[in-house]
Amino acid sequence: MIIFKTARELALMKEACILSAEALKLAGEAVRPGVSTADIDRIAYKHIVSNGGKPSFLGYSGYPATACISVNNEVIHGIPSKHRILKEGDIVSIDLGATLHGFHGDNAATFAVGEISPEAKRLIDTTKEALYKGIEAAVSGGRIGDIGAAVQKHAEDKGYSVVRKFVGHGVGKDLHEAPEVPNFGSPGRGVRLIPGMTLAIEPMINAGTHDVKILKDGWTTVTVDGSLSAHFEHTVAITPNGPVIMTEL
Ligand code: MF3
Ligand code: CO
C-alpha cells in the first residue's frame, strides 16, 4: 500500500532528510587515502545520534552499521570495516539514512578517493546525472516507469548498464514502502505518481554488465564481471509543483 504524506508530515520528514544529507556530506568529506570505511561510518553515526536521530539502517534486518560503504566493484551494502582502508584511485559509494520525528531520510553518493581514472570519473558523473534525469521525470500525473526509463536511457546511452536486482522504493515511516522504483522500465507504465508520495530514487550503474551477486557476508553486493559500480540516491517528494528533493542541503 502506498502511504501518502500530508504537508505536515512532509515537513517532519524533511528534517530527517536534512539530517541524512548532513551525515552523508560529512562522511563524504572524510573520504581520502588511508581512512577506513569504519572511520567514515563512525562520523555518520555520531552526527545522526548527536542530533537526536537514529541511523535507519542500523539493525535493519540485522544490518550492523550506520552506512553501507561500497568500494569499486562493490555495488551496494558494503559493511564498514576498520580493515578496509581506502586508497588513491578508489571510488566509494556511501549510502545512509537517518530517522527523526518517526520518519526516514535515505540518500547515497559516490566519491573519489584522491585522483581517479577518467573512466571512473565518467561513471560517477553519469550515475549522478542519471539520478537527476530520474528525479526530473518524477512529476505528478506521470508514472513510475517514466523514472526508470529516464535513468536507463541516460546510463545506457553512455554505454553502462543499470542494476536490475535492486531498486528504489517508497520511504516514510518505514525505510522501505511501496512502490518499488526500478531504474529501468517503460514510459507510461506502472503506478501513477501523485502528490504526497515520497520516493527514494537510487540508480546503481555498472561499467560492465548489470549482473550482481551477494558475497558470503550476506550483504556486500558486487558486480559479477568485476567492473566498477556507482550509486546515487535522493529522497524525493512528488508535489503539485514538481519533484522536491528532500535530501538536498
Ligand atoms: N539505501 C538502501 C536501501 O534503500 C540501504 C538499505 S539496506 C540496509 O535499500 F539494510 F542496510 F538498511
Ligand atoms: Co534506499
Side-chain angles (χ1 to χ4, degrees):
M1 189 186 61
I2 295 172
I3 299 162
F4 294 86
K5 284 80 183 176
T6 63
R8 197 189 117 75
E9 288 172 321
L10 287 177
L12 292 173
M13 188 163 158
K14 174 74 188 175
E15 294 193 35
C17 287
I18 291 296
L19 186 56
S20 307
E22 288 171 351
L24 179 60
K25 180 167 190 279
L26 287 170
E29 285 167 0
V31 167
R32 63 190 140 74
V35 303
S36 74
T37 55
D39 295 333
I40 293 170
D41 188 73
R42 186 90 207 138
I43 289 165
Y45 175 83
K46 279 192 174 160
H47 185 75
I48 292 168
V49 300
S50 68
N51 286 280
K54 207 177 105 6
S56 299
F57 302 176
L58 188 60
Y60 184 93
S61 301
Y63 188 73
T66 294
C68 299
I69 306 185
S70 310
V71 183
N72 294 336
N73 62 311
E74 295 168 0
V75 180
I76 48 167
H77 299 169
I79 301 172
S81 162
K82 65 177 195 284
H83 304 294
R84 190 64 187 270
I85 310 293
L86 298 178
K87 57 178 199 312
E88 183 96 14
D90 286 343
I91 65 171
V92 55
S93 301
I94 304 176
D95 182 358
L96 61 85
T99 317
L100 193 62
H101 310 311
F103 287 95
H104 295 277
D106 189 3
N107 60 180
T110 302
F111 301 91
V113 184
E115 281 293 310
I116 59 170
S117 70
E119 303 86 79
K121 169 110 173 58
R122 184 171 170 273
L123 175 67
I124 291 176
D125 292 345
T126 301
T127 306
K128 187 172 186 177
E129 289 157 11
L131 168 60
Y132 280 86
K133 298 276 184 194
I135 293 169
E136 276 171 34
V139 293
S140 173
R143 301 247 181 199
I144 282 288
D146 300 350
I147 299 172
V151 169
Q152 181 178 17
K153 179 171 191 326
H154 190 70
E156 292 182 354
D157 280 354
K158 303 277 179 177
Y160 297 135
S161 61
V162 165
V163 172
R164 310 296 174 105
K165 199 174 164 164
F166 293 91
V167 295
H169 50 93
V171 54
K173 285 187 175 159
D174 285 318
L175 179 61
H176 295 138
E177 297 182 350
E180 290 194 342
V181 185
N183 297 297
F184 52 92
S186 306
R189 296 295 192 90
V191 168
R192 190 171 294 285
L193 302 173
I194 296 170
M197 291 171 74
T198 45
L199 305 176
I201 303 177
E202 50 175 321
M204 292 146 267
I205 307 293
N206 297 348
T209 71
H210 70 76
D211 295 305
V212 299
K213 65 179 183 200
I214 301 173
L215 299 184
K216 284 203 212 80
D217 64 17
W219 286 101
T220 311
T221 301
V222 301
T223 56
V224 167
D225 62 10
S227 67
L228 291 179
S229 186
H231 181 208
F232 282 84
E233 174 177 28
H234 271 310
T235 297
V236 176
I238 309 299
T239 83
N241 309 316
V244 170
I245 302 176
M246 306 273 277
T247 42
E248 185 130 82
L249 290 176

